[in-house]
mmCIF file of all heavy atoms in Angstrom:
data_model
loop_
_atom_site.group_PDB
_atom_site.id
_atom_site.type_symbol
_atom_site.label_atom_id
_atom_site.label_comp_id
_atom_site.label_asym_id
_atom_site.label_seq_id
_atom_site.Cartn_x
_atom_site.Cartn_y
_atom_site.Cartn_z
ATOM 1 N N ALA A 1 -1.707 15.538 -7.477
ATOM 2 C CA ALA A 1 -2.761 15.451 -6.720
ATOM 3 C C ALA A 1 -2.960 14.011 -6.015
ATOM 4 O O ALA A 1 -3.285 13.961 -4.832
ATOM 5 C CB ALA A 1 -4.038 15.691 -7.501
ATOM 6 N N ASP A 2 -2.584 13.000 -6.768
ATOM 7 C CA ASP A 2 -2.563 11.618 -6.261
ATOM 8 C C ASP A 2 -1.565 11.611 -5.132
ATOM 9 O O ASP A 2 -1.907 10.857 -4.042
ATOM 10 C CB ASP A 2 -2.161 10.679 -7.407
ATOM 11 C CG ASP A 2 -2.041 9.215 -6.848
ATOM 12 O OD1 ASP A 2 -3.081 8.693 -6.477
ATOM 13 O OD2 ASP A 2 -0.871 8.695 -6.879
ATOM 14 N N ASN A 3 -0.470 12.199 -5.242
ATOM 15 C CA ASN A 3 0.628 12.179 -4.091
ATOM 16 C C ASN A 3 0.026 12.805 -2.894
ATOM 17 O O ASN A 3 0.204 12.272 -1.755
ATOM 18 C CB ASN A 3 1.800 12.752 -4.585
ATOM 19 C CG ASN A 3 2.927 12.776 -3.605
ATOM 20 O OD1 ASN A 3 3.213 13.710 -2.763
ATOM 21 N ND2 ASN A 3 3.635 11.670 -3.604
ATOM 22 N N LEU A 4 -0.481 13.924 -3.014
ATOM 23 C CA LEU A 4 -1.102 14.682 -1.785
ATOM 24 C C LEU A 4 -2.306 13.923 -1.169
ATOM 25 O O LEU A 4 -2.374 13.778 -0.036
ATOM 26 C CB LEU A 4 -1.623 15.982 -2.231
ATOM 27 C CG LEU A 4 -0.542 16.961 -2.609
ATOM 28 C CD1 LEU A 4 -1.121 18.344 -3.199
ATOM 29 C CD2 LEU A 4 0.506 17.322 -1.465
ATOM 30 N N TYR A 5 -3.180 13.366 -1.976
ATOM 31 C CA TYR A 5 -4.303 12.553 -1.606
ATOM 32 C C TYR A 5 -3.828 11.353 -0.856
ATOM 33 O O TYR A 5 -4.339 11.110 0.298
ATOM 34 C CB TYR A 5 -5.169 12.106 -2.664
ATOM 35 C CG TYR A 5 -6.242 11.278 -2.313
ATOM 36 C CD1 TYR A 5 -7.371 11.652 -1.597
ATOM 37 C CD2 TYR A 5 -6.230 9.814 -2.680
ATOM 38 C CE1 TYR A 5 -8.360 10.767 -1.248
ATOM 39 C CE2 TYR A 5 -7.283 8.822 -2.346
ATOM 40 C CZ TYR A 5 -8.273 9.393 -1.516
ATOM 41 O OH TYR A 5 -9.320 8.591 -1.221
ATOM 42 N N CYS A 6 -2.818 10.682 -1.349
ATOM 43 C CA CYS A 6 -2.383 9.338 -0.573
ATOM 44 C C CYS A 6 -1.623 9.789 0.670
ATOM 45 O O CYS A 6 -1.669 9.073 1.692
ATOM 46 C CB CYS A 6 -1.405 8.609 -1.526
ATOM 47 S SG CYS A 6 -2.315 7.830 -2.962
ATOM 48 N N TYR A 7 -0.935 10.844 0.694
ATOM 49 C CA TYR A 7 -0.277 11.327 1.962
ATOM 50 C C TYR A 7 -1.283 11.640 2.904
ATOM 51 O O TYR A 7 -1.196 11.529 4.072
ATOM 52 C CB TYR A 7 0.550 12.635 1.602
ATOM 53 C CG TYR A 7 2.126 12.393 1.915
ATOM 54 C CD1 TYR A 7 2.863 11.759 0.895
ATOM 55 C CD2 TYR A 7 2.578 12.650 3.204
ATOM 56 C CE1 TYR A 7 4.171 11.524 1.189
ATOM 57 C CE2 TYR A 7 3.910 12.437 3.450
ATOM 58 C CZ TYR A 7 4.785 11.970 2.421
ATOM 59 O OH TYR A 7 5.980 11.583 2.668
ATOM 60 N N TRP A 8 -2.487 12.186 2.436
ATOM 61 C CA TRP A 8 -3.564 12.625 3.413
ATOM 62 C C TRP A 8 -4.205 11.280 3.999
ATOM 63 O O TRP A 8 -4.555 11.302 5.225
ATOM 64 C CB TRP A 8 -4.663 13.293 2.728
ATOM 65 C CG TRP A 8 -5.933 13.639 3.493
ATOM 66 C CD1 TRP A 8 -7.100 13.094 3.210
ATOM 67 C CD2 TRP A 8 -5.990 14.375 4.634
ATOM 68 N NE1 TRP A 8 -8.006 13.533 4.278
ATOM 69 C CE2 TRP A 8 -7.468 14.330 5.030
ATOM 70 C CE3 TRP A 8 -5.071 15.141 5.334
ATOM 71 C CZ2 TRP A 8 -7.934 14.983 6.160
ATOM 72 C CZ3 TRP A 8 -5.622 15.786 6.486
ATOM 73 C CH2 TRP A 8 -6.984 15.776 6.814
ATOM 74 N N ILE A 9 -4.318 10.222 3.229
ATOM 75 C CA ILE A 9 -4.830 9.027 3.745
ATOM 76 C C ILE A 9 -3.936 8.442 4.706
ATOM 77 O O ILE A 9 -4.230 7.943 5.802
ATOM 78 C CB ILE A 9 -4.976 7.979 2.539
ATOM 79 C CG1 ILE A 9 -6.106 8.417 1.669
ATOM 80 C CG2 ILE A 9 -5.218 6.615 2.948
ATOM 81 C CD1 ILE A 9 -6.288 7.532 0.315
ATOM 82 N N MET A 10 -2.632 8.572 4.420
ATOM 83 C CA MET A 10 -1.713 8.041 5.456
ATOM 84 C C MET A 10 -1.583 8.852 6.764
ATOM 85 O O MET A 10 -1.474 8.412 7.783
ATOM 86 C CB MET A 10 -0.191 7.976 4.857
ATOM 87 C CG MET A 10 -0.039 6.947 3.807
ATOM 88 S SD MET A 10 1.766 6.724 3.246
ATOM 89 C CE MET A 10 1.928 8.152 2.131
ATOM 90 N N TYR A 11 -1.808 10.106 6.541
ATOM 91 C CA TYR A 11 -1.920 11.028 7.776
ATOM 92 C C TYR A 11 -3.070 10.648 8.617
ATOM 93 O O TYR A 11 -3.023 10.707 9.815
ATOM 94 C CB TYR A 11 -1.989 12.473 7.214
ATOM 95 C CG TYR A 11 -2.307 13.390 8.290
ATOM 96 C CD1 TYR A 11 -1.303 13.804 9.128
ATOM 97 C CD2 TYR A 11 -3.530 13.998 8.566
ATOM 98 C CE1 TYR A 11 -1.451 14.704 10.324
ATOM 99 C CE2 TYR A 11 -3.822 14.940 9.512
ATOM 100 C CZ TYR A 11 -2.805 15.299 10.363
ATOM 101 O OH TYR A 11 -3.076 16.161 11.317
ATOM 102 N N ARG A 12 -4.245 10.359 7.925
ATOM 103 C CA ARG A 12 -5.399 10.079 8.808
ATOM 104 C C ARG A 12 -5.462 8.769 9.371
ATOM 105 O O ARG A 12 -5.889 8.593 10.382
ATOM 106 C CB ARG A 12 -6.627 10.154 7.797
ATOM 107 C CG ARG A 12 -6.943 11.550 7.321
ATOM 108 C CD ARG A 12 -8.322 11.576 6.648
ATOM 109 N NE ARG A 12 -9.418 11.220 7.394
ATOM 110 C CZ ARG A 12 -10.743 11.207 7.087
ATOM 111 N NH1 ARG A 12 -11.024 11.357 5.736
ATOM 112 N NH2 ARG A 12 -11.682 10.704 7.866
ATOM 113 N N THR A 13 -4.830 7.803 8.601
ATOM 114 C CA THR A 13 -4.792 6.317 9.227
ATOM 115 C C THR A 13 -3.426 6.101 10.038
ATOM 116 O O THR A 13 -3.472 5.023 10.721
ATOM 117 C CB THR A 13 -4.922 5.324 8.077
ATOM 118 O OG1 THR A 13 -3.597 5.546 7.209
ATOM 119 C CG2 THR A 13 -6.123 5.605 7.294
ATOM 120 N N HIS A 14 -2.546 6.928 9.928
ATOM 121 C CA HIS A 14 -1.174 6.748 10.527
ATOM 122 C C HIS A 14 -0.637 5.320 10.117
ATOM 123 O O HIS A 14 -0.146 4.502 10.977
ATOM 124 C CB HIS A 14 -1.265 6.819 12.160
ATOM 125 C CG HIS A 14 -1.733 8.075 12.524
ATOM 126 N ND1 HIS A 14 -0.850 9.208 12.412
ATOM 127 C CD2 HIS A 14 -2.861 8.518 13.147
ATOM 128 C CE1 HIS A 14 -1.531 10.408 12.958
ATOM 129 N NE2 HIS A 14 -2.694 9.925 13.370
ATOM 130 N N ASP A 15 -0.805 5.021 8.849
ATOM 131 C CA ASP A 15 -0.377 3.764 8.330
ATOM 132 C C ASP A 15 -0.029 3.820 6.859
ATOM 133 O O ASP A 15 -0.394 4.764 6.158
ATOM 134 C CB ASP A 15 -1.371 2.603 8.520
ATOM 135 C CG ASP A 15 -0.825 1.243 8.395
ATOM 136 O OD1 ASP A 15 0.418 1.164 8.284
ATOM 137 O OD2 ASP A 15 -1.662 0.233 8.410
ATOM 138 N N LEU A 16 0.908 2.931 6.421
ATOM 139 C CA LEU A 16 1.224 2.957 5.021
ATOM 140 C C LEU A 16 -0.049 2.678 4.045
ATOM 141 O O LEU A 16 -0.954 1.976 4.561
ATOM 142 C CB LEU A 16 2.300 1.983 4.601
ATOM 143 C CG LEU A 16 3.632 2.274 5.258
ATOM 144 C CD1 LEU A 16 4.558 1.064 5.054
ATOM 145 C CD2 LEU A 16 4.269 3.541 4.801
ATOM 146 N N TYR A 17 -0.140 3.383 2.859
ATOM 147 C CA TYR A 17 -1.244 3.033 2.037
ATOM 148 C C TYR A 17 -1.031 1.903 1.005
ATOM 149 O O TYR A 17 -0.468 2.232 -0.102
ATOM 150 C CB TYR A 17 -1.571 4.380 1.286
ATOM 151 C CG TYR A 17 -2.695 4.356 0.386
ATOM 152 C CD1 TYR A 17 -3.940 3.909 0.737
ATOM 153 C CD2 TYR A 17 -2.602 4.919 -0.915
ATOM 154 C CE1 TYR A 17 -5.023 3.775 -0.120
ATOM 155 C CE2 TYR A 17 -3.675 4.904 -1.734
ATOM 156 C CZ TYR A 17 -4.948 4.298 -1.284
ATOM 157 O OH TYR A 17 -5.973 4.482 -2.116
ATOM 158 N N CYS A 18 -1.258 0.646 1.549
ATOM 159 C CA CYS A 18 -0.960 -0.526 0.578
ATOM 160 C C CYS A 18 -2.285 -0.965 -0.086
ATOM 161 O O CYS A 18 -3.086 -1.602 0.572
ATOM 162 C CB CYS A 18 -0.411 -1.586 1.374
ATOM 163 S SG CYS A 18 0.134 -3.072 0.428
ATOM 164 N N ARG A 19 -2.534 -0.488 -1.342
ATOM 165 C CA ARG A 19 -3.724 -0.948 -2.006
ATOM 166 C C ARG A 19 -3.473 -2.326 -2.641
ATOM 167 O O ARG A 19 -4.472 -3.048 -2.751
ATOM 168 C CB ARG A 19 -3.949 0.040 -3.234
ATOM 169 C CG ARG A 19 -4.490 1.412 -2.626
ATOM 170 C CD ARG A 19 -4.842 2.272 -3.748
ATOM 171 N NE ARG A 19 -6.032 1.610 -4.469
ATOM 172 C CZ ARG A 19 -6.548 2.217 -5.660
ATOM 173 N NH1 ARG A 19 -5.955 3.205 -6.109
ATOM 174 N NH2 ARG A 19 -7.553 1.608 -6.129
ATOM 175 N N TRP A 20 -2.342 -2.676 -3.105
ATOM 176 C CA TRP A 20 -2.077 -4.071 -3.790
ATOM 177 C C TRP A 20 -0.741 -4.417 -3.391
ATOM 178 O O TRP A 20 0.237 -3.569 -3.301
ATOM 179 C CB TRP A 20 -2.329 -4.023 -5.175
ATOM 180 C CG TRP A 20 -1.589 -3.096 -6.043
ATOM 181 C CD1 TRP A 20 -2.042 -1.792 -6.262
ATOM 182 C CD2 TRP A 20 -0.334 -3.174 -6.579
ATOM 183 N NE1 TRP A 20 -1.111 -1.250 -7.151
ATOM 184 C CE2 TRP A 20 -0.065 -2.014 -7.452
ATOM 185 C CE3 TRP A 20 0.476 -4.148 -6.633
ATOM 186 C CZ2 TRP A 20 1.149 -1.883 -7.970
ATOM 187 C CZ3 TRP A 20 1.688 -4.050 -7.320
ATOM 188 C CH2 TRP A 20 2.047 -2.872 -7.988
ATOM 189 N N ARG A 21 -0.361 -5.673 -3.393
ATOM 190 C CA ARG A 21 0.942 -6.182 -3.269
ATOM 191 C C ARG A 21 1.030 -7.587 -3.964
ATOM 192 O O ARG A 21 0.098 -8.347 -3.663
ATOM 193 C CB ARG A 21 1.309 -6.245 -1.812
ATOM 194 C CG ARG A 21 2.599 -7.048 -1.528
ATOM 195 C CD ARG A 21 3.078 -6.930 -0.089
ATOM 196 N NE ARG A 21 3.335 -5.461 0.357
ATOM 197 C CZ ARG A 21 3.605 -5.124 1.530
ATOM 198 N NH1 ARG A 21 3.630 -5.973 2.520
ATOM 199 N NH2 ARG A 21 3.906 -3.812 1.812
ATOM 200 N N ILE A 22 2.092 -7.782 -4.743
ATOM 201 C CA ILE A 22 2.293 -9.101 -5.540
ATOM 202 C C ILE A 22 3.385 -9.713 -4.984
ATOM 203 O O ILE A 22 4.692 -9.163 -5.043
ATOM 204 C CB ILE A 22 2.247 -8.894 -7.003
ATOM 205 C CG1 ILE A 22 0.976 -8.191 -7.509
ATOM 206 C CG2 ILE A 22 2.521 -10.282 -7.676
ATOM 207 C CD1 ILE A 22 1.063 -7.886 -8.951
ATOM 208 N N HIS A 23 3.317 -10.876 -4.298
ATOM 209 C CA HIS A 23 4.406 -11.564 -3.793
ATOM 210 C C HIS A 23 5.016 -12.459 -4.965
ATOM 211 O O HIS A 23 4.297 -13.264 -5.520
ATOM 212 C CB HIS A 23 4.004 -12.461 -2.680
ATOM 213 C CG HIS A 23 3.797 -11.836 -1.304
ATOM 214 N ND1 HIS A 23 4.767 -11.622 -0.424
ATOM 215 C CD2 HIS A 23 2.607 -11.165 -0.825
ATOM 216 C CE1 HIS A 23 4.254 -10.869 0.570
ATOM 217 N NE2 HIS A 23 2.970 -10.498 0.323
ATOM 218 N N LEU A 24 6.206 -12.169 -5.305
ATOM 219 C CA LEU A 24 6.876 -12.891 -6.489
ATOM 220 C C LEU A 24 7.280 -14.271 -6.086
ATOM 221 O O LEU A 24 7.442 -15.125 -7.069
ATOM 222 C CB LEU A 24 7.938 -12.047 -6.901
ATOM 223 C CG LEU A 24 7.614 -10.608 -7.365
ATOM 224 C CD1 LEU A 24 8.843 -9.845 -7.730
ATOM 225 C CD2 LEU A 24 6.597 -10.520 -8.432
ATOM 226 N N PHE A 25 7.689 -14.427 -4.951
ATOM 227 C CA PHE A 25 8.231 -15.870 -4.457
ATOM 228 C C PHE A 25 7.604 -16.365 -3.218
ATOM 229 O O PHE A 25 7.527 -15.596 -2.267
ATOM 230 C CB PHE A 25 9.649 -15.632 -4.174
ATOM 231 C CG PHE A 25 10.414 -15.135 -5.308
ATOM 232 C CD1 PHE A 25 10.896 -13.738 -5.249
ATOM 233 C CD2 PHE A 25 10.751 -15.845 -6.498
ATOM 234 C CE1 PHE A 25 11.645 -13.165 -6.179
ATOM 235 C CE2 PHE A 25 11.433 -15.131 -7.464
ATOM 236 C CZ PHE A 25 11.802 -13.880 -7.461
ATOM 237 N N ARG A 26 6.839 -17.482 -3.249
ATOM 238 C CA ARG A 26 6.285 -18.073 -2.026
ATOM 239 C C ARG A 26 6.684 -19.475 -1.992
ATOM 240 O O ARG A 26 6.766 -20.259 -2.986
ATOM 241 C CB ARG A 26 4.765 -17.999 -2.096
ATOM 242 C CG ARG A 26 4.295 -16.466 -1.881
ATOM 243 C CD ARG A 26 2.714 -16.454 -2.076
ATOM 244 N NE ARG A 26 2.003 -17.245 -1.103
ATOM 245 C CZ ARG A 26 1.751 -16.844 0.170
ATOM 246 N NH1 ARG A 26 2.048 -15.557 0.604
ATOM 247 N NH2 ARG A 26 1.114 -17.534 1.104
ATOM 248 N N LYS A 27 6.720 -20.047 -0.799
ATOM 249 C CA LYS A 27 7.274 -21.410 -0.582
ATOM 250 C C LYS A 27 6.179 -22.368 -1.105
ATOM 251 O O LYS A 27 6.344 -23.519 -1.649
ATOM 252 C CB LYS A 27 7.563 -21.727 0.864
ATOM 253 C CG LYS A 27 8.751 -21.077 1.297
ATOM 254 C CD LYS A 27 9.049 -21.420 2.810
ATOM 255 C CE LYS A 27 10.192 -20.678 3.289
ATOM 256 N NZ LYS A 27 10.516 -20.965 4.706
ATOM 257 N N SER A 28 4.871 -22.019 -0.983
ATOM 258 C CA SER A 28 3.818 -23.011 -1.259
ATOM 259 C C SER A 28 3.410 -23.002 -2.826
ATOM 260 O O SER A 28 2.748 -24.002 -3.135
ATOM 261 C CB SER A 28 2.506 -22.655 -0.401
ATOM 262 O OG SER A 28 2.142 -21.346 -0.632
ATOM 263 N N THR A 29 3.660 -21.995 -3.432
ATOM 264 C CA THR A 29 3.345 -21.810 -4.845
ATOM 265 C C THR A 29 4.327 -21.009 -5.630
ATOM 266 O O THR A 29 5.090 -20.268 -5.100
ATOM 267 C CB THR A 29 1.919 -21.291 -5.039
ATOM 268 O OG1 THR A 29 1.716 -21.143 -6.388
ATOM 269 C CG2 THR A 29 1.843 -19.868 -4.393
ATOM 270 N N ASN A 30 4.419 -21.403 -6.910
ATOM 271 C CA ASN A 30 5.351 -20.642 -7.720
ATOM 272 C C ASN A 30 4.692 -19.437 -8.488
ATOM 273 O O ASN A 30 5.343 -18.633 -9.188
ATOM 274 C CB ASN A 30 5.959 -21.498 -8.832
ATOM 275 C CG ASN A 30 6.946 -22.582 -8.256
ATOM 276 O OD1 ASN A 30 7.629 -22.362 -7.274
ATOM 277 N ND2 ASN A 30 6.727 -23.796 -8.822
ATOM 278 N N SER A 31 3.350 -19.326 -8.213
ATOM 279 C CA SER A 31 2.710 -18.245 -9.076
ATOM 280 C C SER A 31 2.562 -17.043 -8.147
ATOM 281 O O SER A 31 2.443 -17.124 -7.015
ATOM 282 C CB SER A 31 1.208 -18.732 -9.472
ATOM 283 O OG SER A 31 0.408 -19.246 -8.240
#
């Protein structure tokens, strides 16, 4: 159900469904 729901969101927005993203490496900070 989660898969179908998220596909529906992507279908409606025509965009990837990015709820969160953690950058592991950044030049300005190590955290």
Side-chain angles (χ1 to χ4, degrees):
D2 177 67
N3 185 266
L4 293 174
Y5 172 72
C6 293
Y7 244 87
W8 172 247
I9 291 176
M10 290 188 286
Y11 173 77
R12 294 188 61 184
T13 62
H14 297 293
D15 197 5
L16 296 173
Y17 181 48
C18 186
R19 292 188 61 186
W20 57 267
R21 175 171 293 174
I22 300 176
H23 287 265
L24 304 175
F25 309 104
R26 290 176 62 86
K27 293 181 180 180
S28 59
T29 177
N30 292 325
S31 59

